[in-house]
Amino acid sequence: MTGLLVGAVFGAVFVVVNAQSPLNTVTVNLLRVAACLAAASVMALWFATARKERSAADPQRNMFSRGYLIIVAAEAILLFGGLRVLAAWERPVETNVAWVAFVVGVHFIALAPLWKDWSIAVPGVVLTLLGVAGLVLASTAAVTWVPLISGVLSGLVLLAGAVTFGWRTVAARTA
């Protein structure tokens, strides 16, 4: 559940930061409120599950192994190095969110075999594709739509996955 909580928080941040013009104010506010409520629901599920997990004697697998640390280090290098390259190339600032979505998506794809959890590859592929779409759009007159495509939609994918798998996890443990 901790991974779902992290995904939900980052999903909400993606939406809150990137929900902006050309969307109208009502849509922006609805998206932001929905994202925060979705993240809060995952947080509530996390607390409910964490309490039960502490009392259970089930051994927990270590998700934060050496392989995980290598992937996260590579992600940080790609993320911040890529942002510097985009700035050096004088790309529009909207390109940054597309790069972030791309790198985060690749990070999920890389973690799937390490964690032996192919369900995280699905949002990884979607985020990667949304990042690529934003990188392509950033070179067109539609650059103002990049935060929506690569930011808001990526956030909604993360939130939908976190809420869905969070509910499934809780339901499976109570069944």
Side-chain angles (χ1 to χ4, degrees):
M1 285 294 292
T2 300
L4 296 177
L5 179 60
V6 171
V9 169
F10 278 105
V13 169
F14 261 103
V15 173
V16 169
V17 169
N18 294 295
Q20 58 189 343
S21 177
L23 299 174
N24 66 49
T25 306
V26 173
T27 303
V28 166
N29 289 330
L30 286 174
L31 284 168
R32 289 176 176 167
V33 168
C36 290
L37 289 174
S41 73
V42 173
M43 188 176 294
L45 292 170
W46 182 83
F47 277 114
T49 305
R51 202 171 334 171
K52 290 177 185 172
E53 282 180 353
R54 265 186 258 132
S55 63
D58 296 336
Q60 298 293 318
R61 67 182 173 132
N62 181 13
M63 295 178 67
F64 308 110
S65 65
R66 182 173 182 219
Y68 170 83
L69 295 174
I70 290 169
I71 290 170
V72 170
E75 178 185 23
I77 292 166
L78 285 171
L79 185 64
F80 295 110
L83 292 175
R84 287 202 169 249
V85 168
L86 292 172
W89 288 346
E90 298 179 356
R91 301 299 304 145
V93 70
E94 292 88 353
T95 310
N96 293 348
V97 70
W99 180 249
V100 171
F102 175 79
V103 172
V104 171
V106 170
H107 151 261
F108 282 126
I109 294 167
L111 284 175
L114 179 71
W115 286 348
K116 295 175 183 62
D117 183 359
W118 294 101
S119 65
I120 66 169
V122 174
V125 169
V126 175
L127 264 66
T128 301
L129 293 173
L130 290 170
V132 168
L135 290 168
V136 171
L137 279 177
S139 298
T140 70
V143 67
T144 58
W145 289 95
V146 172
L148 174 69
I149 301 299
S150 296
V152 173
L153 292 181
S154 291
L156 293 176
V157 166
L158 289 172
L159 286 164
V163 169
T164 300
F165 287 108
W167 280 109
R168 283 185 184 172
T169 299
V170 169
R173 289 187 178 151
T174 58

